[in-house]
Amino acid sequence: MLTPQVVITHLISPPAEPMLREAGFAVVARHDETPPPRPEVLRMIAGASAVLTVLSVKVDDEFLAAAGPGLRIVANYAVGFDNIDVAACRRRGVRASNTPGVLTEATADIAWSLILSAARRVIEGDRLVRTGQWQGWRPTELLGLELSGATLGIIGAGRIGCATARRSSGFNMRVVYSHPRDVPELDGPLAARRVELDELLQTSDIVSLHVPYRPENRHMLDARRLALLRDGALLINTARGSLIDEAALVRELSTGRIRAGLDVYEFEPRLSPGLTELPNVVLLPHLGSATHATRRAMARLAAENIIAVLSGREPLTPIA
Ligand code: GLV
Ligand code: GLV
């Protein structure tokens, strides 16, 4: 029998490559992390038994056909898998996996980096000092939002939403959340309350998005819902850009009524016109899972999923 070939489409953290080699597979790894042009991806995966790829690569019928009938698993190097056509994978009997759990704490940390930066105007302050415009302490310079006593609204109380909520306990905050069902982990220790989305938007000082992207939540925060946010509220997004109507968000931010902290964008890496000119938004380049330890854990989990499937076992964290 031919040695199964595993293709890794981007340079990722060790130890995926050595793990897959030690498991006896022929590994073809592209040691470059810039997004490859689509034709290069399709060429690279031809004949592969497994592909380890990232969230900017669309895994659709075209991709699956290019890999060919020997493809058995696509391992996504991300927890979100809106880049993967799960139905198309099922139709072809190709398994797919993601990396849940291992990036929960790192992503919640990035949500809090954005909360603190937006609330206390950290980036604006840095810019003021750095550009030599600071003239010394002023009674009313860069006043921000006090976290103590504020209400944190968590949209989507999955692993990352809960981890983000949990971090609020050191800040003396109230927590509300919207989720399809009660979440005892929040109700008990945090005395949190489950509310409808519109009520959450109307009553929270900080709103943080933690729902996975699905076509039915595209523009979940549209112009109408953005208008429900309180004056001075912060909107934080570390989930997926398309959950927010970004053009409507730019309009709402332009009024100066709210502030935002974004790690993800509707058309990333492109930003909606006007976004970078606004002082009241903190912009990060999709860093949710970007710690050394988390990226290593993601690499390990992705490799374990591939090893399991190519050895005739179930994937550890299947999505198809
Ligand atoms: C990153 O956005 C992920 O889904 O892992
Ligand atoms: C991700 O791990 C989530 O389910 O929140």
Side-chain angles (χ1 to χ4, degrees):
M1 216 171 82
L2 280 177
T3 309
Q5 192 183 89
V6 179
V7 174
I8 307 179
T9 63
H10 289 65
L11 177 68
I12 60 165
S13 294
E17 207 180 316
M19 279 173 71
L20 291 161
R21 286 192 206 286
E22 273 159 39
F25 307 126
V27 179
V28 177
R30 178 171 167 273
H31 289 160
D32 181 351
E33 61 179 1
T34 57
R38 182 73 172 174
E40 189 184 331
V41 174
L42 300 180
R43 223 175 13 253
M44 197 175 8
I45 63 175
S49 300
V51 179
L52 199 168
T53 196
V54 305
L55 57 89
S56 53
V57 171
K58 245 192 173 357
V59 177
D60 52 10
D61 261 314
E62 179 189 49
F63 179 103
L64 298 168
L71 182 66
R72 291 166 64 190
I73 176 168
V74 178
N76 210 32
Y77 192 61
V79 66
F81 52 90
D82 45 298
N83 58 312
I84 296 190
D85 183 341
V86 169
C89 290
R90 290 212 178 101
R91 273 199 304 276
R92 291 171 187 263
V94 174
R95 305 304 303 267
S97 61
N98 65 343
T99 59
V102 295
L103 46 64
T104 302
E105 303 300 328
T107 306
D109 288 348
I110 276 290
W112 273 89
S113 305
L114 289 169
I115 291 172
L116 286 160
S117 308
R120 299 304 301 274
R121 310 180 66 176
V122 170
I123 310 298
E124 288 169 90
D126 178 88
R127 203 173 293 131
L128 191 74
V129 174
R130 203 180 279 280
T131 56
Q133 293 177 67
W134 185 43
Q135 296 177 331
W137 191 89
R138 290 188 186 194
T140 63
E141 190 155 72
L142 291 178
L143 303 187
L145 173 73
E146 177 106 3
L147 294 183
S148 180
T151 298
L152 172 64
I154 299 284
I155 303 178
R159 283 171 291 246
I160 298 169
C162 284
T164 302
R166 226 185 297 122
R167 281 161 173 68
S168 72
S169 66
F171 288 88
N172 183 36
M173 296 170 83
R174 265 188 307 276
V175 177
V176 295
Y177 64 97
S178 70
H179 197 72
R181 58 190 169 280
D182 288 335
V183 178
E185 182 189 342
L186 298 184
D187 298 345
L190 297 176
R193 205 162 53 82
R194 183 161 74 94
V195 296
E196 292 301 320
L197 179 56
D198 283 8
E199 184 185 340
L200 181 145
L201 296 168
Q202 286 164 325
T203 57
S204 298
D205 300 293
I206 299 158
V207 171
S208 193
L209 271 163
H210 300 285
V211 290
Y213 178 78
R214 294 194 200 91
E216 61 271 26
N217 359 331
R218 178 171 176 273
H219 292 183
M220 172 181 211
L221 299 191
D222 56 8
R224 181 190 73 81
R225 286 207 163 117
L226 292 171
L228 296 180
L229 287 165
R230 283 183 168 182
D231 286 353
L234 313 181
L235 175 62
I236 307 299
N237 191 4
T238 55
R240 281 293 180 270
S242 307
L243 296 168
I244 304 179
D245 178 346
E246 200 171 278
L249 177 62
V250 169
R251 287 195 297 277
E252 197 67 44
L253 285 167
S254 306
T255 68
R257 206 180 68 74
I258 62 167
R259 286 210 283 277
L262 307 176
D263 190 39
V264 289
Y265 305 90
E266 187 167 2
F267 307 105
E268 66 183 63
R270 280 187 298 118
L271 306 191
S272 289
L275 201 53
T276 57
E277 281 99 75
L278 294 165
N280 49 340
V281 57
V282 178
L283 305 171
L284 290 184
H286 204 146
L287 294 179
S289 66
T291 71
H292 293 288
T294 287
R295 289 282 164 83
R296 273 196 301 275
M298 290 164 66
R300 202 174 301 119
L301 182 53
E304 283 168 350
N305 273 296
I306 289 173
I307 292 167
V309 170
L310 295 188
S311 313
R313 299 192 305 270
E314 274 296 295
L316 283 78
T317 50
I319 54 178

